Amino acid sequence: MISIKSAKQVELMRKSCALTRELFDILEKSIKPGVSTKHLDKIAYDFYTSRGARPNFLNYEGYPGSICTSVNDEVVHGIPNKRCILKDGDIVSIDMGCELDGWNSDAARTFAVGNISEEAKKLIDVTKECFFEGIKYVKHGAKLGDVSAAIQNYAESRGYGVVRDLVGHGIGRGLHEDPSVPNFGKAGRGMKLIAGMTLAIEPMITAGDYHVSVLDDDWTIVTDDGSLAAHYENTIVVTRSGCEILTL
């Protein structure tokens, strides 16, 4: 069932999203060679809890971290680990959110660790651009397939893979709500968007093939061909004329 939020409910989500936006700025300063992903997880946990929020990934369906830290060929759901030390040239995707006063936020960014290759930089840039291409089609009455198709077409026209096994989602009182928001599809298809819908739109793009697999930890998802992957996500609210990005 799709939930349409009132202006008051969106304002509560806006506060949750503001914390996640602020935390990205803090984490970005700590992402450097020699830092463990577990250290980044502790920064996130301490920040959210100090602000009266709960990291909504922690213990979600058994997930053991406060954030997801996915390095290089890891697409999503990488588990923070003290033995995972970031190296110069790595890229790391941070996916995270919080629950504040019963309302959730969710967002992701992919960061460079030290000096990265031009290939990696371009992948990060294109993944972010995919999000903004997609939201050009978000507004009351538009078709969800228009958003999905825009993301897919932008990525594939530049030679990148679009992950099929994972999609965006609705968000609100629940971290994951209806509807599913694929990063691939056909224009003119799918449900109509309605003002007040809150969505997490999250392109997951690879430098190679789009096929992925789950590692033995039952969480971390990697590219089958070992190619680099990037992730960019924001929580948005659909409006009459477009959308508002709540985590940016």
Side-chain angles (χ1 to χ4, degrees), residues 98-126:
C98 71
E99 180 187 322
L100 179 68
D101 298 327
W103 294 92
N104 286 275
S105 57
D106 189 6
R109 306 283 187 269
T110 302
F111 296 99
V113 182
N115 299 299
I116 64 172
S117 67
E118 285 301 314
E119 173 195 11
K121 184 178 185 302
K122 185 177 178 184
L123 172 66
I124 292 172
D125 290 344
V126 167

Side-chain angles (χ1 to χ4, degrees), residues 106 167-171 175 181 198-202 233-236:
D106 189 6
V167 297
H169 51 91
I171 184 170
L175 174 56
V181 184
T198 45
L199 307 172
I201 297 178
E202 50 179 318
E233 174 185 18
N234 283 300
T235 297
I236 71 161

Side-chain angles (χ1 to χ4, degrees), residues 104-173:
N104 286 275
S105 57
D106 189 6
R109 306 283 187 269
T110 302
F111 296 99
V113 182
N115 299 299
I116 64 172
S117 67
E118 285 301 314
E119 173 195 11
K121 184 178 185 302
K122 185 177 178 184
L123 172 66
I124 292 172
D125 290 344
V126 167
T127 302
K128 180 177 178 179
E129 290 160 8
C130 282
F131 170 85
F132 287 100
E133 286 298 312
I135 66 167
K136 288 179 180 178
Y137 296 87
V138 174
K139 66 177 181 179
H140 179 80
K143 290 292 186 72
L144 183 57
D146 293 342
V147 181
S148 302
I151 293 171
Q152 179 181 10
N153 293 340
Y154 190 84
E156 292 183 345
S157 69
R158 284 152 180 79
Y160 293 95
V162 180
V163 174
R164 265 68 162 173
D165 291 12
L166 304 145
V167 297
H169 51 91
I171 184 170
R173 287 197 177 276

Side-chain angles (χ1 to χ4, degrees), residues 9 11-13 15-16 19 51-54 98-104 172-173:
Q9 290 171 331
E11 179 58 31
L12 290 169
M13 287 188 67
K15 293 177 181 178
S16 174
L19 290 183
R51 301 295 286 272
R54 180 183 66 83
C98 71
E99 180 187 322
L100 179 68
D101 298 327
W103 294 92
N104 286 275
R173 287 197 177 276

Side-chain angles (χ1 to χ4, degrees), residues 2-59:
I2 295 170
S3 170
I4 306 301
K5 279 69 174 185
S6 67
K8 181 177 181 180
Q9 290 171 331
V10 170
E11 179 58 31
L12 290 169
M13 287 188 67
R14 194 176 282 116
K15 293 177 181 178
S16 174
C17 289
L19 290 183
T20 293
R21 181 174 64 244
E22 184 178 350
L23 180 53
F24 274 124
D25 292 337
I26 294 169
L27 286 173
E28 185 172 17
K29 297 172 184 175
S30 297
I31 294 173
K32 60 188 69 174
V35 170
S36 74
T37 55
K38 186 67 174 177
H39 178 66
L40 300 177
D41 188 71
K42 185 178 188 305
I43 291 172
Y45 178 84
D46 290 347
F47 172 82
Y48 277 141
T49 55
S50 72
R51 301 295 286 272
R54 180 183 66 83
N56 52 16
F57 287 16
L58 184 60
N59 299 320

Side-chain angles (χ1 to χ4, degrees), residues 37-38 41 54-70 74 76-81 93-97 175-176 217-221:
T37 55
K38 186 67 174 177
D41 188 71
R54 180 183 66 83
N56 52 16
F57 287 16
L58 184 60
N59 299 320
Y60 183 81
E61 296 186 354
Y63 183 75
S66 296
I67 62 176
C68 295
T69 53
S70 305
E74 296 173 353
V76 287
H77 304 162
I79 299 173
N81 191 313
S93 297
I94 307 293
D95 188 4
M96 64 187 187
L175 174 56
H176 292 96
D217 63 16
D218 293 328
W219 281 105
T220 308
I221 296 176

